[in-house]
Each structure stands twice: as C-alpha cells, then as structure tokens.
Amino acid sequence: MAGCRSGAPGSEQAWLEVAQAFIQETLCPPGKEPDVQLAQLVIDCVKTTWLSQGTSQGLTLPLSYSFVSVKDLRTHQRLPCCSHLSWSSTVYQAWAQEAGPRGVPLPRERLLLLGTLTDLSGNLEQECRNGSLYIRDNTGALDCELIDLDLSWLGHFFLFPSWSYLPSPMKSPGEGHVELWGTPVPVFPLTISPGPLTPIPVVYPEMASRLLRYRSKHRNVQPNLAGNLIRFSALVKSQKKAYFVLFLGGSSPAGTQVSVIVQVPAQLVWHRALCPGRAYVLTELRVSKLPGHRYRVWMTSTSSQLLPLKPECVRELELELAGVPLEADPQSLPRPSSPQDKKRPGPDCLVRDSILLSYTGMVTDTLNQPAGLYELDRKLELCLAYQQFRGLRRVVRPGVRLELQDVHLLQSVGGGTRRPILAPCLRGAVLLRGFSHQVPETQFSHQVPQASLYEQLVWEHQLGLPIYLWVTKALEDLACKLCPHVLRYHQFLKYSSPGDPSLGLQILAPILEVLIPPGCPGRNTHSEILEEPHHCPLQKYTQLQTPCFFPTLAFLKEEAKRRAWASFDPKTLLPLPEASHLPSWQLNQRLAWSWQCLLPSAFCPAPVLLGILVPSSRKGCLRLRDQSGSLSCLLLAQPLQPLTDPRLIGCLVRADRFQLVIERNVRSSFPSWKELSTTDFIQKKQARVYVQFLLADALILSVPRPVLHSATSSTPPRTEPSPPEGPHIEQSRLFLLSHKEALMKRNFSVPPSASSETLMLFEEGGSSCVSQHPLELAGCASCLTVQDEWTVELASSQDIPEVLGIRPTLPESSLTDLLSGNFADSLVSFSAEIVSHLWMKPGSSGAVRRCVKLTVALETADYKFPPHLDVYIEDPHLPPPLGLLPGARVYFHQLEKRVSRSHNVYCCFRSSTCVQVLHFPPDTTVSAPLPHIYLAELLQGDKAPFRATASCHVVSVFSLHLLWVCAHCTSICPQGRCPRQSPACPTQTSVSQASIRLLVEDGTAEAVVTCRNHQVAAVLGLCPSEWTSLLEFVRGPGKVALQFTGPGAQLESSAEVDEPLTLFLWTLCTSFSVLRPMVLSFELERKPSKIIPLEAPRLQRFQCGESPFLTRVNPKIRLSCLFIQEHEHPNALGALVSSC
Ligand SMILES: [Zn+2]
Ligand SMILES: [Zn+2]
C-alpha cells in the first residue's frame, strides 16, 4: 500500500503536516484557500476516535495511521484489507477469530478514510442515482456498502473509523468497494431536523386502499401515507427503470396492506434505509396505473419524503368517498393464467408448492458464485439467481449474515441437489445483516463476467429452479473439462448472443430443448411483486430426474474399466457344460480376449460424451481430449461412410449416442474348469477402452483455433504462415489419394524443411491405381515425405471438376479370386462381418506365434449365405486396430491370401494391410437364427451356408470315443492320473472328452456329423447325472473307443467286447434312443474354397433282393455339430419325406 504514510513515525509534527497537506488536497473544496478550520476539525475527529479505543499507548495521535484518498485506495490497494481506528489489537484479534477456522481474516492496515457519504456516483445529475452508495472525496467516488443507513447521513462528511476494502476481483482497478463497519463519525455535527410545526395530515392503509378503488373528490390531493412497514421487494433494475415496492399495513398484521411503488431515482436509496416492523410516513403520494395492469397503485412523487412515523407529529386526514368502486379489489382479481397452470401434470411429474418464509442465517460456503449459489448455516443452499443480485454478489461470501424476507423454500428438487434450497424471488428483499470478516475466496472471483450465461438462463430462458441447479452443475462439469485450455472461464460463461453463441449453451441446447416447454413468457416483475396470490417461477416446481451428466474422459475410462472387470467372470464366458471338457490351454485361450460394450443407458444418469477431436500420432488413431485426459475413438460419418474431412480435427464433439467399448486381455493359467472361480490364476489383466459413434449422431462445435493449438500440442500457436525467405515458394498441391497403408514405425526422420505446403487430398477408390506390391515403391524416387508443417485439406469437387460426382467405392476382390487357388494376385481386399475374435497363444493348435484369429463372413450380393474366412493378425501388427469386434462390418484392404495344408483359404495381415470399420456392432446383439435347410443344399459348394440347421434322422453311429485326458498335456489318463514323468505335469487334473460320429439323412442327402463333448450326451439322450456316471465308468480304463463298421453296425472296441460298459454303449448306439429324428445345428467341417473342386456324384452298385443296380451317389457331407435339439413333432419327418 503506497498511501500517504508518515515519513517519520513518532514525530507528531511531521504527521500533522502530512495530515494537513492531505486534507487540503483531498477533502477541502477544490480551488479554494487552505481551510485551516476543516483540517483542525478532521484531526480532532480522528484524535477523538483514536483515543476512544482506550489503549492509545500514551499517544494522542494515531501516528502509525496514514490518510488514504479514494483514488489511492482504488489504484494501489490490490489486496483485501480492513482498517479499524477505534479498535485495540485485542478487539481486532477477537474479530479476526470470528472469521472461523476455515476462513482467512481480513488483514489489518492502518489507514484513515474520510469522505462524503452520497448516493450520487460522480456527476450531479439525478439520473445517475440508482440506489447505490458512495464515499466521495476530491479524488473520486468509491462504492460502499452500509448495513443500517440513516437517510440523514447522505451528503455529509464523515470519518469512517472501521471498514474493509475489497478490490475488484476482475483485476481492473477502480472497481473495488468499501464495507463500512459501525457508524460513521461526522466531522461536522449533524443538524437534527426539527419536527414539523403542525401535525402532518396522513391517511392509513385502510383508507389508502379504498382511495384507490373509489372515485374521490380529493383526486388532486397528494396524500401522505402512514403505516408499519410490513415488507419490501427487491430492487428491480431494468434498462428503462429501477424501482422497488414497499408494503405498509396497519398496526395489526391481518389488516389491510397497501403497496407503494418507489421509482424516483433519488428515492431508490431508501431501499437501504428501510427496516421492516418500523413505522413510516410517506409524503405526497400519487395514484398511478401500471402499464399492462387493470388496477391502480400508489407511487411516490419526486417531492415525496420518507419519514419515521411519530404519532405526535401526524393527524388522520378525513376523506369522503363517493360513488361506486372503480374496480374490484386487486386482491380478489383473478390471477392471469400462466402456461404452467395449463400444463396438466402427469402422474410421474408431481407439482409441488414451495413454502414462503423468512430466514436469517450466515453464509457458510460459496458453492458457485457466478451462478449465485451459496451454503447457508451448513444445512441449506441459497440461490440468489432469481433476484438481480449483482450488487449483493460482491458482498456475499462466507461469513456474511443475511436476512431473507419472503423467501421460497424448495425441498427435494432432484437433479442431484439433496439439501433444501432457499431462493428469493423479486417479492422479498435480501437484507444484509453483517459483513464477512473473511478474505474472499479466489476460486471463482476472477472469472465472473458482467453479464453471464447464468443470468441469461434465468431471465431469458426462464429456467425453473430444479433445472437451473442442474444446469449450473452441468456447466461446472463442462468448465472442468474445457477450461482453461480450450476456453477461458469467462469466455465459456459469457452472455450468449445470436451472432456470438455461448459454447456452454450450445452444448446444453439439446437437453434444454427437451426440458423447457417452448413459449414460456418472460417474467413480469410487477406481477411477481404485487399480485396476490403470489406467482413467480419459484412458486411451483417438479422434481427433476437428472437428465444426463458430462463426465470427464478420465472418469469415463476408469468407470468403463471398473465395470468391465467387475463383470468379468470366467464362468459366464465359458458355460460349464462346455468348459468341463476343455483342457487347460484351450480354457485359457478362450479367456484371453473378451469384450464388453457399454451404452449410455447402462449408466444412471446417462453420460454425454464431450471432447476435442485430436489425432494421436503415437497410436495412429483419433482421440477425444479434455482437461482430464484423452480417450481413443472410432468415428464414422454415418454407417458405411468413413470420416474424410480433416477440418473436424480440433472441433468439439458432443455425442449422447455412443458405444463405450472395453476389450479385455487376460493372461491366465487355470488348470481346469474346476478352478474357474479362483481369481489367483489370472496373472495379467489389461483393458483397452475406446468409444465409437457416428458423427451423424453427434453435435460438432468449432472452438477458437489459436487457443486450441496451445492446448493440443506443445508447439506455440502458429500464426498465418509468414512469407518464405529465399527461393522457397509456398504452394499447394493437389493429390489424388488412391489407397492407404498401415501405420508403421520408422526409425528415421527427415530434417524439417523451410517450405510450407498444403497437401490437398481427394479420395477416390479406383482400383486401377492400386499397386499390388506397395512396398516395392518404398525406395522409389517419387516418394514424398510429409513434412511437419504441411497441412492436409480435403479438396472440394470444384478443384477437380472432371471427377465431380464420382462417389468413391472401395476396391474389392471378386469372391471367385478370393476362394480360388489362383495366386497371381495374392493381395485381396473385401468387406466382411466379423463373426468371432480369438486370441491364440504360441503352441496352441495352428498358431506358431502369438496371433489374433478373426473369423469373418464375407459380404457378397451373389451368395445367399456368406462364405466364412479366417483372418490372422500376427506380430508386429498386434494389438489389432480398434473396432474389430464381433458383429462389426469391416473393409480389409490388401490382406495376403494363403492356403492351408488342408486347402482352406485364409488371410494374413501384412504391412500394407489397411482396415476400415464400416459399421459398428449392433447395440443389442440378438443372434439371428441359423437358416433351416435341406442337407442337399450343402452340395451346391460355395453357395452353401457355412452354418445352418436341418431336421434329420440319425441313420447309424460310426464311432464313439470317451476319454479322460490330462488337463495340462492332454495325454490319456488311466485311473485319472497323468502318465507323464520327468517332468511330471504341474497339476493332476484330468478332464473328460467325448466324440461321436453319426450318419444322418433328411431324405435329400446324407451327412457325416461329428459331435463333441457335451453334445455327445445329447446325442446319446443321457441326462446330466447319467452322463456323469457314464464318464466315471470310463475313468478307470482312461479311454473307451467303439467303431461300428458297415450297415450291420459290427462292433470294434478298444476294450473287451463283453465288458458291461461296451455292451451298454453298443446297445445304446444301435437303439432307437440314438437312431432318432433330431434338429441338428451344424457348421461345415471345412470352409468353402474353390481349390478342391466338389466331388462329382459317383456310381455305386447296390444289391436289392436278387437284382443288383447302379445309382449315382453324392459324396458324403462332413459336418461339425453346433448343438442338438430334439425333434418336436416325431411325425414331421415322415411328412417331410412324403412331401418330397
Ligand atoms: Zn416468489
Ligand atoms: Zn499331463
């Protein structure tokens, strides 16, 4: 503080000289001779006040104090402070203690403040009066707040012995204010105005009320009104006018009340002086009609005065009323109907009434200062947003005591608010009852815009309190996500205008459209204050179901992981009938990868996804980013339409429809199914979380670019490219993008070049441009390395008129090429739906290295049933790209085609392979039923379905194998013990396995079906307990194998033929309990290919009675059983046969 400190403490003379110079310059009327008398009066006043504290330490002058002018306080005092001339240190200590354990007390400065108390801000025109109070000296005026104003103080010169100064939180000097503690000390004695010589004629409220309603011959009389102040409204300031209303009543509370509108600027300061319960006289009132209202009200005239009522100074005025009432009693007027009344509440939206009450309490916390939300007495919430509380806002902070008159109490408003809320509307005033001892919190204070979005929400969008409270929370969450990197806080909360919409409002708009009924009228401030019964936005409310929330991306990611692991249960992933037959490696392989898709509806309330779209050069994918972190995402413009516009980078994306995908990778060592509930066997868990959504479902909002650059990259924000130096010329080039290749890690980098180019891309999928061997081009001279400073833009069709209107199509290999043995073109491209996704460990069947096996169903218009194909992804292409989920439709570009030893075609990822997801998996995975076919349809080669269901009849059993194998090494275990020695298997668990081969026919063709494990029990028609007992009998020998040869079903058994077990199985397999009709769901044993042509039907000789004959017999179809259902109608097969 650089005030006028005394140069030499202890030197009274020096102090006095400085004081006199200050008074002369700052307080004496400017341009006049030095006023020695005034200086002496001021110093005497200071001295008296100083000595009144009692501990003046023998000093007659407060030498440690210095005078401060309004200007110095405004310009030099940057920190909140207080000054108490009349207080001893002990008093100050006690005062500071009251700041409470959490609050920081205002630091004490030793300053002397003097000035004139006025309601005139600067110039002397009356229009400048708006009810505010100022301290003025020669250097300027300073806003001040005072708790109990005496109107007679106005215009007088005071010493302010106790005050605190709060500089502007907006960092703009001159906006601070003074809070005046205690009564100011007049420098000149105040003249007490003598009472009127003759008693003032007054009317009382009863008569005043009747005067309004009756035509009176005293129309031109401006009566004086006397009565008790019942209540008064908030000070309403509109662009046109500022006013408030006071209500005077008789001595009994139930008597007539009469309202008086005060709107003369010079009288607005009365608002600070009024005290409910006291009696007043208002002089020279006039009757006026309110625009838009039918009835008339009392108003003050410019010459009206507010006087305390002294019974001895008034006499009642006798007035005669004549004629009929001009209008009905305003109190019995029908209330103008509002749309809220017309709205019939549904059964689930219960309309509640708030309670009007008065409350006095202390603000204990600031919940959201710009939104006007505070905590009262640690148990209530206070919302000041429904009043114009700009003046109050700077004063209200923890420690302030408030008296709330006619305030609404709302309970259970919902929307995440739990405590009861007190919210004053314009009807009741909020009275300051005590200033805070605390230094204001800086949390929000530096960020309050003058006209904020919050005010707009209440006054223009007409939000009810429950919605308003929810919106403030949502805006707080959004600010946490976006400020300050994307936007400054005040930018985010700024007033929204049509040409300059607020980002916060744009994000909330889709929800507000649903929550706010259209066509809500604006608030009528006069009605809100005057009408009975009372009607305002706080009067009726419905509990709000929280519509949604805006979680941070970090929260969403963590919550997704938490839920994915909470729901991870090996026993649900592997149902017991199947799991009980799996050896250890298979069990763990099946658990190695699983996924979960969370929809917003899985959360309550539903989350809304919000973030800035940024590219991740490290991971090669797009990410959403907010202040908390980032989340990988997979976007489609709309189904089948990939994202192509690079301008989306840096945009704010808001989506309420999305899929939150968690891919779980588990490294486990479960010895067998018995241990599946023991989590100790899980060695490593990893989850990959990302979101996928359609841009068509999202709201794209652009954000200021310069701010964004600093947020998303470490490089400083780039301005417009500067003119290049030397021979470099900035240029743009147009390129046609023919194809993309996979992202690869490279171990060299090109030094940055000085030139700046814009790379224009036009995407087209002409297969003629596609090189079949792209890697061969890598060393080619025409290779262009994209520089860091280049920008890529999507060229418009106008740039290339000749390709206008060409819709790029993705190149696809023909299905014949794909499934044939032709290797002229070993790179294939196709789109397909992913059927399954399996992680395979090295050593497991078919896999040499760690790899992912995708089984895909090729998409083709030519085939009724899509052929299936396996696609393998091996290191270094692991982990696989995002979105390769069962049910997703994916375009694979340039996969390498290979053929297995068993002549199955399969594909592998290679460096040039590129993957594009075309369609996300459906939200609800309802598995389509398998097609029901005749077996003969399978003879149509690659037109046959890969999986299907057929109603057929078991003709005979070819073989049956029942074994017990070691769960670890799959050796056969006689007596349930693994025979392997040195090294012995780590666990001695054995699992049973079974397989049966059957001949089935459905009247159109025959097929050989292999059923495994739990399917065997179904084929044999055994219930679970019978099946378990049967397997227990096999445990002793470890293996029972039966071969049935020929149509007579001769038995070949590994065991003794006459053993009871063998006999039982033989009898069972030749009985009608097995040889029966059934509904068989199956898949082909081999995937279709064109490498081995279909076997032609061959001639076979049959003996029928005496005569042999030849007939063409189709080759047997080989099927693997998926599941078996019993035939519901035993006669149906007969009917089928007869219909053929
Ligand atoms: Zn109200
Ligand atoms: Zn073993």
Side-chain angles (χ1 to χ4, degrees):
M1 173 73 214
C4 307
R5 290 207 180 276
S6 54
S11 160
E12 294 198 0
Q13 192 52 43
W15 189 90
L16 282 169
E17 277 168 21
V18 173
Q20 272 157 354
F22 173 86
I23 295 162
Q24 193 57 48
E25 190 187 333
T26 317
L27 304 172
C28 286
K32 288 194 180 166
E33 289 296 300
D35 190 339
V36 184
Q37 197 194 352
L38 176 74
Q40 196 49 54
L41 275 169
V42 169
I43 290 165
D44 284 348
C45 181
V46 168
K47 213 193 261 179
T48 318
T49 314
W50 158 251
L51 292 173
S52 72
Q53 64 157 304
T55 52
S56 50
Q57 295 149 353
L59 297 171
T60 51
L61 286 172
L63 296 183
S64 55
Y65 281 78
S66 50
F67 288 89
V68 65
S69 70
V70 163
K71 188 180 168 200
D72 282 345
L73 202 54
R74 278 166 51 157
T75 48
H76 299 300
Q77 184 65 39
R78 299 295 171 86
L79 293 173
C81 68
C82 65
S83 176
H84 305 284
L85 177 65
S86 55
W87 288 11
S88 66
S89 304
T90 335
V91 176
Y92 172 74
Q93 289 303 331
W95 179 87
Q97 287 287 315
E98 285 173 37
R102 286 203 281 171
V104 179
L106 287 161
R108 187 175 188 181
E109 292 279 352
R110 293 173 191 273
L111 298 169
L112 294 170
L113 181 66
L114 290 114
T116 308
L117 196 64
T118 174
D119 61 337
L120 281 164
S121 63
N123 40 29
L124 298 167
E125 291 168 40
Q126 206 181 36
E127 279 70 31
C128 286
R129 298 182 185 204
N130 60 5
S132 301
L133 272 184
Y134 305 92
I135 292 172
R136 198 142 50 83
D137 65 11
N138 291 346
T139 61
L142 188 63
D143 279 25
C144 78
E145 295 288 340
L146 182 60
I147 286 172
D148 217 351
L149 174 72
D150 188 326
L151 289 174
S152 66
W153 294 346
L154 290 176
H156 287 273
F157 184 46
F158 288 99
L159 164 71
F160 302 102
S162 252
W163 48 272
S164 41
Y165 176 71
L166 286 304
S168 162
M170 294 292 281
K171 288 178 184 160
S172 53
E175 295 288 328
H177 76 277
V178 169
E179 294 174 358
L180 295 176
W181 298 77
T183 316
V185 182
V187 176
F188 306 105
L190 289 179
T191 48
I192 295 150
S193 61
L197 294 174
T198 53
I200 308 170
V202 295
V203 291
Y204 288 100
E206 173 77 15
M207 176 57 80
S209 175
R210 285 169 65 196
L211 272 173
L212 285 179
R213 282 178 283 141
Y214 288 87
R215 203 176 292 279
S216 162
K217 56 184 172 187
H218 313 281
R219 288 184 77 178
N220 298 325
V221 174
Q222 290 200 322
N224 307 317
L225 176 61
N228 279 330
L229 182 68
I230 307 294
R231 60 186 176 94
F232 59 104
S233 78
L235 189 59
V236 182
K237 288 177 186 173
S238 70
Q239 280 176 336
K240 286 185 225 156
K241 196 152 260 185
Y243 73 95
F244 71 95
V245 183
L246 54 87
F247 296 82
L248 291 180
S251 48
S252 74
T256 313
Q257 282 184 26
V258 68
S259 48
V260 181
I261 296 182
V262 181
Q263 59 182 28
V264 177
Q267 295 160 1
L268 295 177
V269 75
W270 295 359
H271 198 262
R272 295 169 174 275
L274 291 170
C275 183
R278 288 190 200 161
Y280 294 96
V281 175
L282 284 162
T283 64
E284 295 181 61
L285 296 185
R286 62 193 178 89
V287 174
S288 179
K289 221 167 173 276
L290 283 179
H293 289 265
R294 287 192 294 171
Y295 50 84
R296 303 179 304 164
V297 286
W298 289 110
M299 256 183 211
T300 55
S301 63
T302 46
S303 48
S304 295
Q305 283 183 293
L306 178 73
L307 306 169
L309 173 63
K310 290 172 188 151
E312 67 278 9
C313 299
V314 296
R315 64 176 173 85
E316 188 165 3
L317 183 71
E318 298 293 332
L319 290 173
E320 282 175 37
L321 300 171
V324 287
L326 286 174
E327 60 186 39
D329 190 334
Q331 287 169 14
S332 62
L333 274 179
R335 192 148 50 96
S337 58
S338 71
Q340 272 152 310
D341 293 334
K342 287 178 199 145
K343 198 172 62 183
R344 290 251 169 263
D348 54 341
C349 70
L350 190 66
V351 179
R352 296 160 189 253
D353 283 306
S354 61
I355 302 163
L356 267 183
L357 48 83
S358 291
Y359 185 88
T360 306
M362 189 193 275
V363 173
T364 41
D365 199 3
T366 308
L367 302 176
N368 185 343
Q369 203 236 25
L373 296 177
Y374 302 89
E375 184 195 62
L376 269 183
D377 295 332
R378 305 228 170 276
K379 58 187 179 194
L380 291 166
E381 285 185 24
L382 171 66
C383 173
L384 295 178
Y386 290 81
Q387 280 201 348
Q388 294 162 318
F389 71 110
R390 281 190 206 170
L392 209 55
R393 194 203 307 258
R394 61 189 183 187
V395 183
V396 177
R397 60 182 194 271
V400 161
R401 291 186 61 79
L402 296 175
E403 184 180 335
L404 309 161
Q405 295 187 316
D406 278 344
V407 63
H408 292 274
L409 174 71
L410 293 87
Q411 283 169 296
S412 314
V413 293
T417 306
R418 282 178 183 83
R419 288 188 287 191
I421 321 278
L422 285 176
C425 64
L426 295 175
R427 175 188 164 101
V430 176
L431 305 177
L432 211 51
R433 283 285 163 259
F435 292 118
S436 170
H437 305 201
Q438 294 182 19
V439 172
E441 297 146 324
T442 48
Q443 189 190 358
F444 288 108
S445 49
H446 61 283
Q447 297 145 332
V448 190
Q450 270 304 303
S452 77
L453 183 59
Y454 292 115
E455 288 173 39
Q456 195 170 19
L457 288 169
V458 169
W459 292 92
E460 285 176 30
H461 295 268
Q462 306 290 326
L463 296 194
L465 186 71
I467 302 176
Y468 177 75
L469 292 176
W470 176 76
V471 166
T472 59
K473 284 193 182 68
L475 285 173
E476 233 177 308
D477 289 350
L478 289 171
C480 278
K481 282 169 68 76
L482 302 173
C483 301
H485 283 336
V486 178
L487 274 182
R488 300 281 171 245
Y489 195 79
H490 67 269
Q491 274 180 306
F492 181 72
L493 286 183
K494 72 169 191 258
Y495 204 77
S496 186
S497 59
D500 187 17
S502 145
L503 195 63
L505 204 59
Q506 289 181 73
I507 295 167
L508 291 175
I511 305 154
L512 294 182
E513 273 168 28
V514 179
L515 290 178
I516 313 167
C520 265
R523 281 166 75 181
N524 184 326
T525 52
H526 278 125
S527 312
E528 193 170 312
I529 297 167
L530 289 168
E531 267 169 15
E532 287 296 339
H534 175 60
H535 184 78
C536 77
L538 299 166
Q539 186 69 14
K540 290 191 182 294
Y541 64 101
T542 44
Q543 195 174 11
L544 179 73
Q545 292 298 109
T546 311
C548 63
F549 75 117
F550 296 90
T552 60
L553 295 174
F555 170 84
L556 207 57
K557 203 160 151 181
E558 281 315 304
E559 181 63 12
K561 279 187 190 171
R562 193 193 63 75
R563 288 182 182 224
W565 292 120
S567 65
F568 177 78
D569 180 11
K571 288 207 279 198
T572 5
L573 289 172
L574 285 175
L576 186 59
E578 198 188 346
S580 63
H581 299 290
L582 295 179
S584 177
W585 68 267
Q586 233 173 352
L587 204 68
N588 292 310
Q589 176 169 289
R590 293 277 295 274
L591 295 174
W593 184 87
S594 56
W595 71 294
Q596 198 182 14
C597 174
L598 292 172
L599 299 176
S601 55
F603 297 80
C604 188
V608 175
L609 195 64
L610 187 85
I612 300 282
L613 202 59
V614 292
S616 161
S617 52
R618 202 167 58 84
K619 298 205 168 179
C621 64
L622 285 173
R623 295 171 83 82
L624 282 178
R625 186 196 288 261
D626 67 10
Q627 295 263 101
S628 70
S630 63
L631 186 59
S632 301
C633 64
L634 193 60
L635 295 184
L636 283 179
Q638 47 185 297
L640 305 178
Q641 209 184 91
L643 202 67
T644 49
D645 194 346
R647 285 173 301 175
L648 286 168
I649 299 299
C651 281
L652 186 64
V653 178
R654 175 204 191 279
D656 41 22
R657 284 180 61 190
F658 59 89
Q659 292 181 331
L660 185 58
V661 177
I662 311 104
E663 291 186 29
R664 289 177 295 220
N665 280 98
V666 171
R667 200 169 74 205
S668 61
S669 59
F670 289 105
S672 77
W673 61 277
K674 288 178 196 155
E675 291 84 9
L676 279 184
S677 44
T678 319
T679 48
D680 299 350
F681 294 100
I682 296 174
Q683 283 132 8
K684 198 178 171 188
K685 295 200 285 190
Q686 261 186 330
R688 182 160 78 158
V689 183
Y690 54 96
V691 280
Q692 44 190 30
F693 58 94
L694 302 175
L695 278 185
D697 290 342
L699 189 69
I700 316 277
L701 302 165
S702 57
V703 287
R705 291 258 165 179
V707 186
L708 176 86
H709 273 294
S710 60
T712 53
S713 66
S714 54
T715 55
R718 202 142 39 92
T719 50
E720 289 299 304
S722 54
E725 292 162 25
H728 294 292
I729 297 163
E730 185 184 310
Q731 48 184 280
S732 296
R733 298 273 170 154
L734 186 71
F735 289 93
L736 181 73
L737 179 68
S738 65
H739 70 280
K740 295 182 283 187
E741 294 183 2
L743 201 72
M744 282 184 292
K745 293 182 182 97
R746 298 171 61 154
N747 56 0
F748 73 94
S749 64
V750 176
S753 136
S755 71
S756 177
E757 295 199 31
T758 305
L759 198 62
M760 306 269 272
L761 290 181
F762 188 81
E763 200 166 6
E764 196 220 44
S767 57
S768 59
C769 311
V770 179
S771 159
Q772 299 301 342
H773 303 285
L775 284 181
E776 287 169 13
L777 276 177
C780 170
S782 64
C783 205
L784 199 65
T785 309
V786 177
Q787 308 293 314
D788 279 351
E789 62 275 14
W790 290 7
T791 57
V792 182
E793 286 172 17
L794 194 66
S796 66
S797 306
Q798 287 129 17
D799 297 326
I800 350 165
E802 64 269 27
V803 290
L804 188 123
I806 297 178
R807 191 172 172 76
T809 50
L810 301 168
E812 302 227 0
S813 308
S814 82
L815 210 60
T816 322
D817 280 352
L818 194 58
L819 300 176
S820 72
N822 172 18
F823 276 85
D825 182 5
S826 69
L827 291 181
V828 292
S829 303
F830 54 83
S831 49
E833 182 182 320
I834 295 176
V835 177
S836 71
H837 180 137
L838 186 69
W839 281 61
M840 299 166 87
K841 280 203 276 189
S844 61
S845 65
V848 183
R849 285 190 277 175
R850 187 172 76 111
C851 72
V852 169
K853 175 185 162 189
L854 301 174
T855 302
V856 302
L858 295 170
E859 281 182 359
T860 163
D862 310 338
Y863 288 69
K864 188 178 167 193
F865 305 108
H868 283 214
L869 196 69
D870 288 339
V871 177
Y872 290 88
I873 313 170
E874 294 181 335
D875 270 330
H877 307 298
L878 290 177
L882 303 182
L884 300 184
L885 305 169
R889 278 176 66 191
V890 178
Y891 172 67
F892 294 95
H893 185 64
Q894 297 200 341
L895 286 169
E896 189 184 359
K897 183 171 90 174
R898 291 185 195 167
V899 174
S900 73
R901 269 170 294 181
S902 53
H903 303 292
N904 268 328
V905 172
Y906 66 96
C907 292
C908 287
F909 266 52
R910 47 175 294 166
S911 307
S912 61
T913 302
C914 180
V915 168
Q916 172 71 57
V917 173
L918 299 175
H919 214 304
F920 303 132
D923 282 350
T924 46
T925 46
V926 181
S927 51
L930 294 173
H932 201 101
I933 60 156
Y934 295 124
L935 291 178
E937 289 177 62
L938 297 175
L939 296 166
Q940 291 165 348
D942 51 18
K943 303 264 191 211
F946 179 64
R947 286 190 176 131
T949 298
S951 298
C952 52
H953 188 273
V954 182
V955 179
S956 62
V957 175
F958 285 129
S959 66
L960 172 67
H961 287 83
L962 299 172
L963 16 138
W964 283 86
V965 296
C966 171
H968 182 73
C969 67
T970 66
S971 314
I972 290 174
C973 301
Q975 310 298 334
R977 236 169 274 126
C978 176
R980 235 169 74 154
Q981 305 290 332
S982 58
C985 285
T987 53
Q988 282 295 321
T989 316
S990 52
V991 290
S992 60
Q993 291 191 330
S995 71
I996 191 166
R997 293 183 75 220
L998 314 163
L999 180 70
V1000 300
E1001 61 90 22
D1002 68 347
T1004 65
E1006 286 182 336
V1008 178
V1009 185
T1010 309
C1011 304
R1012 287 187 180 84
N1013 299 336
H1014 61 287
Q1015 297 159 355
V1016 176
V1019 171
L1020 297 179
L1022 299 177
C1023 71
S1025 61
E1026 290 168 336
W1027 175 242
T1028 313
S1029 323
L1030 173 63
L1031 290 173
E1032 281 310 310
F1033 278 116
V1034 181
R1035 200 192 277 271
K1039 176 181 178 181
V1040 172
L1042 283 86
Q1043 298 284 340
F1044 303 82
T1045 50
Q1050 298 296 315
L1051 182 67
E1052 276 180 17
S1053 169
S1054 61
E1056 292 298 313
V1057 177
D1058 53 350
E1059 249 182 47
L1061 179 61
T1062 316
L1063 274 175
F1064 166 72
L1065 288 174
W1066 184 83
T1067 316
L1068 188 64
C1069 290
T1070 50
S1071 74
F1072 289 115
S1073 1
V1074 173
L1075 309 180
R1076 67 187 195 274
M1078 60 170 63
V1079 180
L1080 177 74
S1081 297
F1082 57 85
E1083 65 178 22
L1084 298 175
E1085 254 182 19
R1086 271 186 343 103
K1087 297 202 168 67
S1089 81
K1090 302 224 173 206
I1091 298 166
I1092 311 170
L1094 276 176
E1095 270 182 76
R1098 53 197 164 80
L1099 281 175
Q1100 197 172 336
R1101 180 186 298 271
F1102 283 91
Q1103 191 80 25
C1104 185
E1106 290 293 305
S1107 44
F1109 58 91
L1110 282 168
T1111 183
R1112 288 184 187 276
V1113 175
N1114 280 315
K1116 283 202 181 72
I1117 308 157
R1118 290 176 190 281
L1119 305 175
S1120 289
C1121 172
L1122 293 175
F1123 53 90
I1124 291 162
Q1125 287 167 283
E1126 289 308 316
H1127 210 283
E1128 283 176 26
H1129 308 289
N1131 294 329
L1133 195 65
L1136 188 80
V1137 170
S1138 64
S1139 71
C1140 288

